[in-house]
Amino acid sequence: MVSRLSLACVVFSLFLISSCFPSQAQLSSNFYDSTCPNALTTIRTAIRRAVSSERRMAASLIRLHFHDCFVQGCDASIMLDNSPSIDSEKFSFSNNNSIRGFEVIDDAKAQVESICPGVVSCADIAAVAARDASVAVGGPSWTVRLGRRDSTTASRSLADSDIPRATTSLVNLIGMFGGKGLSERDMVALSGSHTIGQARCVTFRGRIYDNSSDIDAGFASTRRRNCPSASGNGNNNLAPLDLVTPNSFDNNYFRNLIQRRGLLQSDQVLFSGQSTDSIVTEYSRNPSLFSSDFAAAMLRMGDIEPLTGSQGEIRRVCSVVN
C-alpha cells in the first residue's frame, strides 16, 4: 500500500511540474484546419508578393522570426511598439534601424483577419512567413507547427542580452544558442541563413579594417569601397552577406567562411580553428545536408517557449496589445 501511495505521489508531482511549462506538443501543423483553413495560403500569397517586390525581404523575414524567438520565446513580442507599458524590442541594440519586415507581417495579418478575425496569431504568421520566405528564394521548406499565441509584454533588456551581435565570440554564441535549447549544429545551420541578405557597414567596419589574419585581403579591400573607416560615415551602407550568390539560398556562405570571406566576425568564428569547423566543412560540401539541417533547426527554434492555450492573446493588430 505504501509503495502504491508513493508511486501515486510521484506521478502526481510530475504532472504538477509538467503543467507549469508550455508543451511543444500543444503546437500542431493542422492547428487552423477547422478554424481558418485558408490561413496558410493567404500568408504564402502575401510573402511571395513581398519577396517578389524586394528579394532582400526573404532574409529580413527569417531574421525577424529569429529575433522574436530569442526574446521571451516565439511570441511576437518583437512586433510591439512603445507604449506606457511596453519598452519596445524594436529599439534594442540589435534591432534598432536594422530589423525589417514588420509591414509585410502586418499586411499578411490584415488579410488573415479579413477572413478569420481573431483566430491566427502574429507569432504564427511570423513563423509561417519565415518558411515561405525561404522557399521563395530557393531555400528549403518545412511543416510549421502552429498554435502560438501573442505576448502582451516585450523586453528591450532581454533583446539586448539574448540576441547575438556581429562581434559575438564562438564561445558566447554556443552559450546563447544552448540557452535556447539549440545545439552547435543548429547554430551553424541557422547561421547559414546569411547566404541571403545584407549587412550594414557599422556591423562589419571593424572586421574589414583591422587587418587581421582571419579575413581575405582582397575581400576586405572590396568591402572597404562602400564602408568608410571613419565611425559615423556610411554606417547604413549595405553589403551582401554572401558575395557570390547574395539573392539565392544555397551553401556558398560556408564556402566563403573557408576562404576567410565571412562578412561579420560572428560568421567567421564558425570557421576559425574551433569546434564548429567540421560542421562548416560538411555544409560547404553537401548542400542537401545543409538544407535539411536548416529546416530542422528552424523547426526547433520555432518551438522555443511558445505561449499556448489560454496564455497571452491573439492580437488584432500585431504592433499593439488588444
Side-chain angles (χ1 to χ4, degrees):
M1 175 66 70
V2 173
S3 61
R4 288 181 180 178
L5 285 174
S6 298
L7 178 60
C9 288
V10 169
V11 171
F12 183 64
S13 297
L14 289 174
F15 170 77
L16 288 178
I17 291 172
S18 64
S19 67
C20 294
F21 299 94
S23 170
Q24 293 177 3
Q26 291 177 278
L27 299 182
S28 166
S29 61
N30 60 3
F31 188 82
Y32 298 113
D33 281 7
S34 60
T35 56
C36 193
N38 292 321
L40 298 189
T41 301
T42 302
I43 297 168
R44 182 170 63 246
T45 299
I47 301 311
R48 282 179 175 175
R49 182 168 56 248
V51 175
S52 176
S53 176
E54 183 196 3
R55 192 84 167 171
R56 179 188 173 204
M57 187 54 69
S60 298
L61 292 170
I62 293 172
R63 185 167 179 255
L64 178 63
H65 180 44
F66 168 72
H67 281 219
D68 179 37
C69 291
F70 262 56
V71 182
Q72 300 187 164
C74 307
D75 62 358
S77 62
I78 195 173
M79 300 179 199
L80 287 171
D81 287 337
N82 271 332
S83 74
S85 61
I86 300 292
D87 190 11
S88 178
E89 295 167 21
K90 295 178 180 180
F91 301 102
S92 69
F93 181 88
S94 295
N95 292 333
N96 192 29
N97 296 320
S98 174
I99 204 75
R100 307 170 69 245
F102 296 110
E103 72 283 0
V104 176
I105 301 298
D106 288 342
D107 176 57
K109 172 65 170 175
Q111 293 184 50
V112 172
E113 282 291 300
S114 71
I115 58 173
C116 307
V119 173
V120 182
S121 68
C122 299
D124 273 348
I125 291 174
V128 173
R131 187 271 312 277
D132 292 343
S134 169
V135 173
V137 290
S141 182
W142 55 92
T143 302
V144 180
R145 291 189 280 263
L146 303 163
R148 301 167 191 79
R149 290 170 65 84
D150 300 323
S151 69
T152 55
T153 63
S155 177
R156 179 174 172 177
S157 61
L158 284 179
D160 280 329
S161 64
D162 289 8
I163 297 174
R165 301 187 180 185
T167 55
T168 302
S169 69
L170 181 62
V171 169
N172 287 337
L173 283 172
I174 292 171
M176 294 170 89
F177 278 77
K180 305 299 180 183
L182 299 170
S183 68
E184 286 188 31
R185 180 170 287 271
D186 291 330
M187 178 187 72
V188 176
L190 291 169
S191 297
S193 65
H194 285 182
T195 187
I196 54 175
Q198 302 183 63
R200 296 180 299 147
C201 168
V202 68
T203 63
F204 59 84
R205 176 182 284 123
R207 172 161 164 72
I208 63 174
Y209 283 102
D210 69 2
N211 296 311
S212 63
S213 60
D214 72 341
I215 187 168
D216 176 77
F219 175 73
S221 177
T222 298
R223 287 289 150 255
R224 289 174 189 153
R225 295 173 191 167
N226 196 40
C227 184
S229 60
S231 179
N233 291 337
N235 277 1
N236 293 320
N237 291 355
L238 298 172
L241 287 158
D242 174 7
L243 181 65
V244 184
T245 53
N247 293 316
S248 297
F249 198 106
D250 54 32
N251 68 332
N252 274 323
Y253 166 81
F254 300 104
R255 297 176 183 175
N256 293 336
L257 298 185
I258 292 172
Q259 296 171 350
R260 297 179 297 133
R261 294 176 181 174
L263 185 60
L264 306 180
Q265 190 62 37
S266 56
D267 289 325
Q268 194 59 56
V269 294
L270 301 180
F271 191 84
S272 56
Q274 301 183 72
S275 60
T276 53
D277 282 16
S278 60
I279 305 173
V280 170
T281 300
E282 277 187 82
Y283 291 159
S284 74
R285 295 173 177 172
N286 192 334
S288 61
L289 175 63
F290 162 53
S291 289
S292 62
D293 280 4
F294 178 79
M298 287 293 288
L299 268 174
R300 280 188 283 274
M301 187 184 76
D303 282 346
I304 297 175
E305 300 175 12
L307 299 177
T308 58
S310 60
Q311 299 171 316
E313 64 181 14
I314 305 298
R315 287 187 221 138
R316 291 187 294 271
V317 176
C318 292
S319 57
V320 295
V321 296
N322 292 341

